Amino acid sequence: KSLKIEMPKNLKAGEPLHVLIDSSGFKIYGEGEWKTRKHGVSKRRTWRKLHIAICAKSQNIVGAMLTTNNVGDSEVFGNLLDRINGPIASVSGDGAYDTVGCYHACDCYGAEPIIPPRKGGKKQADNSNEYDSALEKRDLALDMIESYGGGEEGRKQWKKESGYHRRSLVETGFFRIKTIFGSKLKSRLFCNQAKEAFARCVALNKITGLGMPD
């Protein structure tokens, strides 16, 4: 409970980070997968959501937050960026972060948002004077998708040109956490669960520092 755990600072001071953000669930208690498959899901299944930010270059976790499972990804986006030490060049996230608040948070840090607009998304820069500068970047993404032909093909080309696909590294990060340390938190108190989750992140960084496969 009183353990002090800090994410590592940017090793090369002043070098802007290309940050990849996502979240995943960790079970607190509940039946195993076999019992769930045979008898259905019980009400006594509780999860926590771990939100992490990974440096695309080093694959180190540079920011982490733990929330209850009813907290949306976009709600903690700004707070997660606050936990990152050092300048941020860009932030990549999936469609769950396509909100005005997330674009505004990126704008505050001078970071380029690499977030796919939702299907059927409309331009919004002219509808909110307060966040015009942030939403212009979203509108630019919509223009690029349209210039590539729109639809799924346009979105596919935009993801390729914008470098969105490197976001898969954060999904790989979650896979590594769950494979090495398990997908269940053992602590009962929420504050202890948070420290347990952060300890896993720091431990994974140490493993990453030993070397990654080419």
mmCIF file of all heavy atoms in Angstrom, residues 55-106:
data_model
loop_
_atom_site.group_PDB
_atom_site.id
_atom_site.type_symbol
_atom_site.label_atom_id
_atom_site.label_comp_id
_atom_site.label_asym_id
_atom_site.label_seq_id
_atom_site.Cartn_x
_atom_site.Cartn_y
_atom_site.Cartn_z
ATOM 1 N N CYS A 55 6.143 3.751 -25.113
ATOM 2 C CA CYS A 55 7.010 4.449 -26.057
ATOM 3 C C CYS A 55 7.202 3.553 -27.276
ATOM 4 O O CYS A 55 7.647 2.406 -27.143
ATOM 5 C CB CYS A 55 8.346 4.776 -25.407
ATOM 6 S SG CYS A 55 9.579 5.403 -26.559
ATOM 7 N N ALA A 56 6.880 4.048 -28.448
ATOM 8 C CA ALA A 56 6.946 3.226 -29.662
ATOM 9 C C ALA A 56 8.376 2.791 -29.974
ATOM 10 O O ALA A 56 8.589 1.717 -30.523
ATOM 11 C CB ALA A 56 6.367 4.000 -30.843
ATOM 12 N N LYS A 57 9.359 3.614 -29.618
ATOM 13 C CA LYS A 57 10.755 3.306 -29.955
ATOM 14 C C LYS A 57 11.349 2.252 -29.021
ATOM 15 O O LYS A 57 11.913 1.254 -29.456
ATOM 16 C CB LYS A 57 11.590 4.580 -29.922
ATOM 17 C CG LYS A 57 13.032 4.371 -30.350
ATOM 18 C CD LYS A 57 13.787 5.685 -30.377
ATOM 19 C CE LYS A 57 15.231 5.489 -30.830
ATOM 20 N NZ LYS A 57 15.975 6.775 -30.869
ATOM 21 N N SER A 58 11.221 2.483 -27.703
ATOM 22 C CA SER A 58 11.838 1.580 -26.722
ATOM 23 C C SER A 58 10.916 0.459 -26.277
ATOM 24 O O SER A 58 11.377 -0.521 -25.708
ATOM 25 C CB SER A 58 12.286 2.380 -25.500
ATOM 26 O OG SER A 58 11.162 2.897 -24.796
ATOM 27 N N GLN A 59 9.606 0.621 -26.503
ATOM 28 C CA GLN A 59 8.564 -0.300 -26.038
ATOM 29 C C GLN A 59 8.486 -0.358 -24.516
ATOM 30 O O GLN A 59 7.926 -1.294 -23.942
ATOM 31 C CB GLN A 59 8.751 -1.705 -26.631
ATOM 32 C CG GLN A 59 8.591 -1.741 -28.137
ATOM 33 C CD GLN A 59 8.471 -3.133 -28.693
ATOM 34 O OE1 GLN A 59 7.762 -3.976 -28.151
ATOM 35 N NE2 GLN A 59 9.169 -3.405 -29.787
ATOM 36 N N ASN A 60 9.043 0.655 -23.842
ATOM 37 C CA ASN A 60 8.889 0.773 -22.397
ATOM 38 C C ASN A 60 7.544 1.401 -22.060
ATOM 39 O O ASN A 60 7.037 2.252 -22.794
ATOM 40 C CB ASN A 60 9.999 1.651 -21.810
ATOM 41 C CG ASN A 60 11.280 0.881 -21.585
ATOM 42 O OD1 ASN A 60 11.246 -0.305 -21.263
ATOM 43 N ND2 ASN A 60 12.408 1.541 -21.749
ATOM 44 N N ILE A 61 6.963 0.985 -20.955
ATOM 45 C CA ILE A 61 5.736 1.605 -20.456
ATOM 46 C C ILE A 61 6.123 2.891 -19.754
ATOM 47 O O ILE A 61 6.888 2.880 -18.785
ATOM 48 C CB ILE A 61 4.995 0.659 -19.492
ATOM 49 C CG1 ILE A 61 4.603 -0.631 -20.219
ATOM 50 C CG2 ILE A 61 3.762 1.347 -18.910
ATOM 51 C CD1 ILE A 61 4.011 -1.703 -19.313
ATOM 52 N N VAL A 62 5.618 4.025 -20.238
ATOM 53 C CA VAL A 62 6.003 5.331 -19.692
ATOM 54 C C VAL A 62 4.900 5.967 -18.860
ATOM 55 O O VAL A 62 5.104 7.012 -18.245
ATOM 56 C CB VAL A 62 6.416 6.287 -20.832
ATOM 57 C CG1 VAL A 62 7.699 5.795 -21.483
ATOM 58 C CG2 VAL A 62 5.311 6.431 -21.871
ATOM 59 N N GLY A 63 3.732 5.357 -18.825
ATOM 60 C CA GLY A 63 2.629 5.860 -18.011
ATOM 61 C C GLY A 63 1.603 4.769 -17.799
ATOM 62 O O GLY A 63 1.387 3.933 -18.677
ATOM 63 N N ALA A 64 0.973 4.750 -16.606
ATOM 64 C CA ALA A 64 -0.017 3.718 -16.302
ATOM 65 C C ALA A 64 -1.032 4.241 -15.302
ATOM 66 O O ALA A 64 -0.702 5.051 -14.431
ATOM 67 C CB ALA A 64 0.665 2.460 -15.764
ATOM 68 N N MET A 65 -2.276 3.777 -15.456
ATOM 69 C CA MET A 65 -3.360 4.090 -14.521
ATOM 70 C C MET A 65 -4.246 2.864 -14.382
ATOM 71 O O MET A 65 -4.437 2.117 -15.346
ATOM 72 C CB MET A 65 -4.204 5.267 -15.011
ATOM 73 C CG MET A 65 -3.564 6.625 -14.892
ATOM 74 S SD MET A 65 -4.734 7.937 -15.341
ATOM 75 C CE MET A 65 -5.949 7.765 -14.016
ATOM 76 N N LEU A 66 -4.795 2.669 -13.190
ATOM 77 C CA LEU A 66 -5.746 1.579 -12.958
ATOM 78 C C LEU A 66 -7.087 2.177 -12.576
ATOM 79 O O LEU A 66 -7.153 3.075 -11.731
ATOM 80 C CB LEU A 66 -5.251 0.645 -11.848
ATOM 81 C CG LEU A 66 -6.051 -0.655 -11.703
ATOM 82 C CD1 LEU A 66 -5.678 -1.633 -12.823
ATOM 83 C CD2 LEU A 66 -5.808 -1.309 -10.346
ATOM 84 N N THR A 67 -8.157 1.695 -13.210
ATOM 85 C CA THR A 67 -9.495 2.184 -12.908
ATOM 86 C C THR A 67 -10.452 0.999 -12.776
ATOM 87 O O THR A 67 -10.089 -0.135 -13.086
ATOM 88 C CB THR A 67 -10.027 3.115 -14.023
ATOM 89 O OG1 THR A 67 -10.198 2.353 -15.234
ATOM 90 C CG2 THR A 67 -9.075 4.271 -14.282
ATOM 91 N N THR A 68 -11.669 1.280 -12.332
ATOM 92 C CA THR A 68 -12.703 0.259 -12.337
ATOM 93 C C THR A 68 -13.140 0.013 -13.778
ATOM 94 O O THR A 68 -12.850 0.813 -14.677
ATOM 95 C CB THR A 68 -13.901 0.696 -11.486
ATOM 96 O OG1 THR A 68 -14.363 1.983 -11.943
ATOM 97 C CG2 THR A 68 -13.507 0.816 -10.018
ATOM 98 N N ASN A 69 -13.861 -1.077 -14.004
ATOM 99 C CA ASN A 69 -14.178 -1.472 -15.386
ATOM 100 C C ASN A 69 -15.250 -0.607 -16.034
ATOM 101 O O ASN A 69 -15.511 -0.747 -17.219
ATOM 102 C CB ASN A 69 -14.601 -2.945 -15.428
ATOM 103 C CG ASN A 69 -15.792 -3.226 -14.546
ATOM 104 O OD1 ASN A 69 -16.265 -2.345 -13.821
ATOM 105 N ND2 ASN A 69 -16.286 -4.454 -14.583
ATOM 106 N N ASN A 70 -15.886 0.307 -15.276
ATOM 107 C CA ASN A 70 -16.921 1.156 -15.857
ATOM 108 C C ASN A 70 -16.385 2.526 -16.295
ATOM 109 O O ASN A 70 -17.154 3.391 -16.697
ATOM 110 C CB ASN A 70 -18.075 1.347 -14.869
ATOM 111 C CG ASN A 70 -17.635 2.012 -13.577
ATOM 112 O OD1 ASN A 70 -16.449 2.024 -13.259
ATOM 113 N ND2 ASN A 70 -18.580 2.557 -12.830
ATOM 114 N N VAL A 71 -15.084 2.717 -16.224
ATOM 115 C CA VAL A 71 -14.485 3.984 -16.637
ATOM 116 C C VAL A 71 -14.048 3.875 -18.087
ATOM 117 O O VAL A 71 -13.318 2.954 -18.463
ATOM 118 C CB VAL A 71 -13.274 4.336 -15.746
ATOM 119 C CG1 VAL A 71 -12.593 5.607 -16.247
ATOM 120 C CG2 VAL A 71 -13.715 4.509 -14.302
ATOM 121 N N GLY A 72 -14.504 4.795 -18.923
ATOM 122 C CA GLY A 72 -14.174 4.772 -20.340
ATOM 123 C C GLY A 72 -12.730 5.163 -20.607
ATOM 124 O O GLY A 72 -12.113 5.905 -19.825
ATOM 125 N N ASP A 73 -12.193 4.670 -21.711
ATOM 126 C CA ASP A 73 -10.803 4.969 -22.062
ATOM 127 C C ASP A 73 -10.566 6.466 -22.222
ATOM 128 O O ASP A 73 -9.550 6.997 -21.767
ATOM 129 C CB ASP A 73 -10.432 4.249 -23.362
ATOM 130 C CG ASP A 73 -10.386 2.739 -23.189
ATOM 131 O OD1 ASP A 73 -10.497 2.273 -22.034
ATOM 132 O OD2 ASP A 73 -10.243 2.019 -24.197
ATOM 133 N N SER A 74 -11.487 7.143 -22.882
ATOM 134 C CA SER A 74 -11.304 8.571 -23.148
ATOM 135 C C SER A 74 -11.343 9.416 -21.873
ATOM 136 O O SER A 74 -10.797 10.518 -21.841
ATOM 137 C CB SER A 74 -12.376 9.067 -24.128
ATOM 138 O OG SER A 74 -13.673 8.899 -23.583
ATOM 139 N N GLU A 75 -11.972 8.901 -20.808
ATOM 140 C CA GLU A 75 -12.088 9.652 -19.559
ATOM 141 C C GLU A 75 -10.751 9.827 -18.860
ATOM 142 O O GLU A 75 -10.559 10.793 -18.113
ATOM 143 C CB GLU A 75 -13.080 8.953 -18.615
ATOM 144 C CG GLU A 75 -14.506 8.888 -19.132
ATOM 145 C CD GLU A 75 -15.423 8.163 -18.166
ATOM 146 O OE1 GLU A 75 -15.490 8.573 -16.988
ATOM 147 O OE2 GLU A 75 -16.069 7.177 -18.582
ATOM 148 N N VAL A 76 -9.828 8.901 -19.056
ATOM 149 C CA VAL A 76 -8.539 8.969 -18.357
ATOM 150 C C VAL A 76 -7.407 9.372 -19.296
ATOM 151 O O VAL A 76 -6.247 9.394 -18.885
ATOM 152 C CB VAL A 76 -8.202 7.613 -17.690
ATOM 153 C CG1 VAL A 76 -9.285 7.217 -16.709
ATOM 154 C CG2 VAL A 76 -8.021 6.515 -18.737
ATOM 155 N N PHE A 77 -7.743 9.680 -20.536
ATOM 156 C CA PHE A 77 -6.725 9.986 -21.547
ATOM 157 C C PHE A 77 -5.801 11.118 -21.096
ATOM 158 O O PHE A 77 -4.569 10.974 -21.099
ATOM 159 C CB PHE A 77 -7.427 10.355 -22.861
ATOM 160 C CG PHE A 77 -6.494 10.611 -24.014
ATOM 161 C CD1 PHE A 77 -6.033 9.561 -24.793
ATOM 162 C CD2 PHE A 77 -6.091 11.899 -24.327
ATOM 163 C CE1 PHE A 77 -5.175 9.796 -25.862
ATOM 164 C CE2 PHE A 77 -5.241 12.144 -25.392
ATOM 165 C CZ PHE A 77 -4.782 11.093 -26.164
ATOM 166 N N GLY A 78 -6.379 12.242 -20.686
ATOM 167 C CA GLY A 78 -5.582 13.395 -20.267
ATOM 168 C C GLY A 78 -4.741 13.101 -19.042
ATOM 169 O O GLY A 78 -3.568 13.491 -18.962
ATOM 170 N N ASN A 79 -5.325 12.401 -18.058
ATOM 171 C CA ASN A 79 -4.591 12.059 -16.836
ATOM 172 C C ASN A 79 -3.425 11.125 -17.132
ATOM 173 O O ASN A 79 -2.378 11.195 -16.484
ATOM 174 C CB ASN A 79 -5.529 11.408 -15.816
ATOM 175 C CG ASN A 79 -6.550 12.378 -15.266
ATOM 176 O OD1 ASN A 79 -6.286 13.577 -15.192
ATOM 177 N ND2 ASN A 79 -7.709 11.884 -14.889
ATOM 178 N N LEU A 80 -3.612 10.242 -18.108
ATOM 179 C CA LEU A 80 -2.532 9.320 -18.474
ATOM 180 C C LEU A 80 -1.366 10.079 -19.111
ATOM 181 O O LEU A 80 -0.198 9.801 -18.826
ATOM 182 C CB LEU A 80 -3.061 8.255 -19.432
ATOM 183 C CG LEU A 80 -2.153 7.065 -19.743
ATOM 184 C CD1 LEU A 80 -1.742 6.337 -18.467
ATOM 185 C CD2 LEU A 80 -2.848 6.098 -20.689
ATOM 186 N N LEU A 81 -1.679 11.061 -19.951
ATOM 187 C CA LEU A 81 -0.624 11.880 -20.546
ATOM 188 C C LEU A 81 0.113 12.676 -19.476
ATOM 189 O O LEU A 81 1.330 12.904 -19.580
ATOM 190 C CB LEU A 81 -1.203 12.833 -21.593
ATOM 191 C CG LEU A 81 -1.819 12.207 -22.857
ATOM 192 C CD1 LEU A 81 -2.209 13.305 -23.843
ATOM 193 C CD2 LEU A 81 -0.868 11.221 -23.512
ATOM 194 N N ASP A 82 -0.610 13.099 -18.421
ATOM 195 C CA ASP A 82 0.017 13.853 -17.333
ATOM 196 C C ASP A 82 1.099 13.051 -16.628
ATOM 197 O O ASP A 82 2.017 13.622 -16.033
ATOM 198 C CB ASP A 82 -1.034 14.278 -16.303
ATOM 199 C CG ASP A 82 -1.968 15.355 -16.835
ATOM 200 O OD1 ASP A 82 -1.587 16.034 -17.816
ATOM 201 O OD2 ASP A 82 -3.072 15.515 -16.285
ATOM 202 N N ARG A 83 1.000 11.733 -16.675
ATOM 203 C CA ARG A 83 1.941 10.872 -15.962
ATOM 204 C C ARG A 83 3.213 10.582 -16.764
ATOM 205 O O ARG A 83 4.112 9.915 -16.261
ATOM 206 C CB ARG A 83 1.260 9.555 -15.600
ATOM 207 C CG ARG A 83 0.112 9.749 -14.618
ATOM 208 C CD ARG A 83 -0.627 8.456 -14.339
ATOM 209 N NE ARG A 83 -1.702 8.689 -13.386
ATOM 210 C CZ ARG A 83 -1.833 8.061 -12.218
ATOM 211 N NH1 ARG A 83 -0.944 7.146 -11.871
ATOM 212 N NH2 ARG A 83 -2.826 8.330 -11.407
ATOM 213 N N ILE A 84 3.263 11.058 -17.997
ATOM 214 C CA ILE A 84 4.416 10.795 -18.847
ATOM 215 C C ILE A 84 5.472 11.862 -18.626
ATOM 216 O O ILE A 84 5.185 13.056 -18.685
ATOM 217 C CB ILE A 84 4.001 10.751 -20.328
ATOM 218 C CG1 ILE A 84 2.989 9.632 -20.555
ATOM 219 C CG2 ILE A 84 5.214 10.569 -21.225
ATOM 220 C CD1 ILE A 84 2.404 9.601 -21.951
ATOM 221 N N ASN A 85 6.696 11.438 -18.356
ATOM 222 C CA ASN A 85 7.806 12.365 -18.167
ATOM 223 C C ASN A 85 8.444 12.677 -19.516
ATOM 224 O O ASN A 85 8.857 11.785 -20.237
ATOM 225 C CB ASN A 85 8.861 11.746 -17.247
ATOM 226 C CG ASN A 85 8.354 11.560 -15.832
ATOM 227 O OD1 ASN A 85 7.998 12.524 -15.165
ATOM 228 N ND2 ASN A 85 8.299 10.321 -15.375
ATOM 229 N N GLY A 86 8.503 13.941 -19.841
ATOM 230 C CA GLY A 86 9.156 14.338 -21.084
ATOM 231 C C GLY A 86 8.174 14.785 -22.146
ATOM 232 O O GLY A 86 6.962 14.570 -22.036
ATOM 233 N N PRO A 87 8.680 15.435 -23.205
ATOM 234 C CA PRO A 87 7.827 15.929 -24.294
ATOM 235 C C PRO A 87 7.225 14.784 -25.106
ATOM 236 O O PRO A 87 7.792 13.695 -25.189
ATOM 237 C CB PRO A 87 8.794 16.766 -25.142
ATOM 238 C CG PRO A 87 10.147 16.184 -24.857
ATOM 239 C CD PRO A 87 10.116 15.741 -23.424
ATOM 240 N N ILE A 88 6.070 15.053 -25.697
ATOM 241 C CA ILE A 88 5.346 14.037 -26.465
ATOM 242 C C ILE A 88 5.203 14.520 -27.903
ATOM 243 O O ILE A 88 4.688 15.611 -28.153
ATOM 244 C CB ILE A 88 3.960 13.775 -25.859
ATOM 245 C CG1 ILE A 88 4.087 13.371 -24.382
ATOM 246 C CG2 ILE A 88 3.220 12.694 -26.634
ATOM 247 C CD1 ILE A 88 2.752 13.259 -23.668
ATOM 248 N N ALA A 89 5.665 13.716 -28.846
ATOM 249 C CA ALA A 89 5.581 14.078 -30.257
ATOM 250 C C ALA A 89 4.231 13.694 -30.852
ATOM 251 O O ALA A 89 3.628 14.448 -31.613
ATOM 252 C CB ALA A 89 6.708 13.419 -31.046
ATOM 253 N N SER A 90 3.753 12.493 -30.532
ATOM 254 C CA SER A 90 2.479 12.028 -31.072
ATOM 255 C C SER A 90 1.853 11.032 -30.103
ATOM 256 O O SER A 90 2.544 10.431 -29.276
ATOM 257 C CB SER A 90 2.672 11.367 -32.445
ATOM 258 O OG SER A 90 3.401 10.152 -32.317
ATOM 259 N N VAL A 91 0.544 10.883 -30.222
ATOM 260 C CA VAL A 91 -0.205 9.930 -29.402
ATOM 261 C C VAL A 91 -1.091 9.101 -30.324
ATOM 262 O O VAL A 91 -1.901 9.654 -31.076
ATOM 263 C CB VAL A 91 -1.080 10.626 -28.345
ATOM 264 C CG1 VAL A 91 -1.797 9.595 -27.481
ATOM 265 C CG2 VAL A 91 -0.254 11.554 -27.469
ATOM 266 N N SER A 92 -0.932 7.787 -30.285
ATOM 267 C CA SER A 92 -1.737 6.886 -31.113
ATOM 268 C C SER A 92 -2.701 6.111 -30.228
ATOM 269 O O SER A 92 -2.305 5.560 -29.201
ATOM 270 C CB SER A 92 -0.835 5.896 -31.874
ATOM 271 O OG SER A 92 0.051 6.573 -32.731
ATOM 272 N N GLY A 93 -3.964 6.079 -30.628
ATOM 273 C CA GLY A 93 -4.980 5.336 -29.895
ATOM 274 C C GLY A 93 -6.061 4.882 -30.843
ATOM 275 O O GLY A 93 -6.162 5.383 -31.970
ATOM 276 N N ASP A 94 -6.891 3.942 -30.407
ATOM 277 C CA ASP A 94 -7.952 3.448 -31.282
ATOM 278 C C ASP A 94 -9.152 4.385 -31.266
ATOM 279 O O ASP A 94 -9.113 5.470 -30.674
ATOM 280 C CB ASP A 94 -8.347 2.017 -30.895
ATOM 281 C CG ASP A 94 -8.841 1.899 -29.459
ATOM 282 O OD1 ASP A 94 -9.314 2.920 -28.893
ATOM 283 O OD2 ASP A 94 -8.775 0.793 -28.889
ATOM 284 N N GLY A 95 -10.238 3.965 -31.913
ATOM 285 C CA GLY A 95 -11.411 4.823 -32.060
ATOM 286 C C GLY A 95 -12.084 5.221 -30.762
ATOM 287 O O GLY A 95 -12.862 6.178 -30.739
ATOM 288 N N ALA A 96 -11.792 4.520 -29.662
ATOM 289 C CA ALA A 96 -12.391 4.873 -28.367
ATOM 290 C C ALA A 96 -11.927 6.252 -27.895
ATOM 291 O O ALA A 96 -12.576 6.866 -27.043
ATOM 292 C CB ALA A 96 -12.029 3.813 -27.328
ATOM 293 N N TYR A 97 -10.815 6.732 -28.435
ATOM 294 C CA TYR A 97 -10.273 8.035 -28.032
ATOM 295 C C TYR A 97 -10.684 9.151 -28.986
ATOM 296 O O TYR A 97 -10.158 10.261 -28.891
ATOM 297 C CB TYR A 97 -8.745 7.952 -27.953
ATOM 298 C CG TYR A 97 -8.249 6.910 -26.970
ATOM 299 C CD1 TYR A 97 -7.805 5.666 -27.403
ATOM 300 C CD2 TYR A 97 -8.237 7.172 -25.602
ATOM 301 C CE1 TYR A 97 -7.358 4.707 -26.507
ATOM 302 C CE2 TYR A 97 -7.794 6.216 -24.696
ATOM 303 C CZ TYR A 97 -7.354 4.991 -25.154
ATOM 304 O OH TYR A 97 -6.923 4.040 -24.265
ATOM 305 N N ASP A 98 -11.600 8.873 -29.885
ATOM 306 C CA ASP A 98 -12.064 9.890 -30.831
ATOM 307 C C ASP A 98 -13.102 10.784 -30.154
ATOM 308 O O ASP A 98 -14.295 10.722 -30.453
ATOM 309 C CB ASP A 98 -12.653 9.219 -32.083
ATOM 310 C CG ASP A 98 -13.120 10.239 -33.112
ATOM 311 O OD1 ASP A 98 -12.497 11.309 -33.204
ATOM 312 O OD2 ASP A 98 -14.111 9.956 -33.816
ATOM 313 N N THR A 99 -12.633 11.620 -29.237
ATOM 314 C CA THR A 99 -13.498 12.561 -28.522
ATOM 315 C C THR A 99 -12.842 13.934 -28.505
ATOM 316 O O THR A 99 -11.625 14.057 -28.682
ATOM 317 C CB THR A 99 -13.754 12.114 -27.067
ATOM 318 O OG1 THR A 99 -12.520 12.185 -26.333
ATOM 319 C CG2 THR A 99 -14.301 10.690 -27.012
ATOM 320 N N VAL A 100 -13.659 14.958 -28.269
ATOM 321 C CA VAL A 100 -13.136 16.324 -28.221
ATOM 322 C C VAL A 100 -12.086 16.460 -27.129
ATOM 323 O O VAL A 100 -11.034 17.077 -27.317
ATOM 324 C CB VAL A 100 -14.292 17.325 -27.975
ATOM 325 C CG1 VAL A 100 -13.740 18.726 -27.763
ATOM 326 C CG2 VAL A 100 -15.269 17.314 -29.134
ATOM 327 N N GLY A 101 -12.350 15.861 -25.956
ATOM 328 C CA GLY A 101 -11.416 15.964 -24.838
ATOM 329 C C GLY A 101 -10.050 15.380 -25.147
ATOM 330 O O GLY A 101 -9.019 15.940 -24.756
ATOM 331 N N CYS A 102 -10.019 14.263 -25.861
ATOM 332 C CA CYS A 102 -8.739 13.628 -26.191
ATOM 333 C C CYS A 102 -7.933 14.483 -27.163
ATOM 334 O O CYS A 102 -6.717 14.640 -27.012
ATOM 335 C CB CYS A 102 -8.975 12.233 -26.771
ATOM 336 S SG CYS A 102 -9.618 11.037 -25.583
ATOM 337 N N TYR A 103 -8.608 15.050 -28.165
ATOM 338 C CA TYR A 103 -7.901 15.919 -29.108
ATOM 339 C C TYR A 103 -7.395 17.178 -28.408
ATOM 340 O O TYR A 103 -6.302 17.669 -28.700
ATOM 341 C CB TYR A 103 -8.819 16.288 -30.280
ATOM 342 C CG TYR A 103 -8.944 15.191 -31.303
ATOM 343 C CD1 TYR A 103 -10.008 14.292 -31.270
ATOM 344 C CD2 TYR A 103 -7.993 15.031 -32.304
ATOM 345 C CE1 TYR A 103 -10.123 13.276 -32.196
ATOM 346 C CE2 TYR A 103 -8.090 14.022 -33.245
ATOM 347 C CZ TYR A 103 -9.161 13.142 -33.183
ATOM 348 O OH TYR A 103 -9.261 12.123 -34.117
ATOM 349 N N HIS A 104 -8.193 17.693 -27.480
ATOM 350 C CA HIS A 104 -7.782 18.880 -26.734
ATOM 351 C C HIS A 104 -6.565 18.569 -25.865
ATOM 352 O O HIS A 104 -5.642 19.385 -25.757
ATOM 353 C CB HIS A 104 -8.938 19.380 -25.872
ATOM 354 C CG HIS A 104 -8.601 20.600 -25.070
ATOM 355 N ND1 HIS A 104 -8.156 21.767 -25.646
ATOM 356 C CD2 HIS A 104 -8.619 20.822 -23.727
ATOM 357 C CE1 HIS A 104 -7.931 22.667 -24.705
ATOM 358 N NE2 HIS A 104 -8.194 22.116 -23.533
ATOM 359 N N ALA A 105 -6.550 17.379 -25.230
ATOM 360 C CA ALA A 105 -5.408 16.981 -24.400
ATOM 361 C C ALA A 105 -4.133 16.899 -25.235
ATOM 362 O O ALA A 105 -3.064 17.349 -24.815
ATOM 363 C CB ALA A 105 -5.693 15.648 -23.716
ATOM 364 N N CYS A 106 -4.234 16.332 -26.448
ATOM 365 C CA CYS A 106 -3.077 16.265 -27.345
ATOM 366 C C CYS A 106 -2.599 17.664 -27.709
ATOM 367 O O CYS A 106 -1.399 17.943 -27.757
ATOM 368 C CB CYS A 106 -3.427 15.487 -28.610
ATOM 369 S SG CYS A 106 -3.652 13.712 -28.384
#
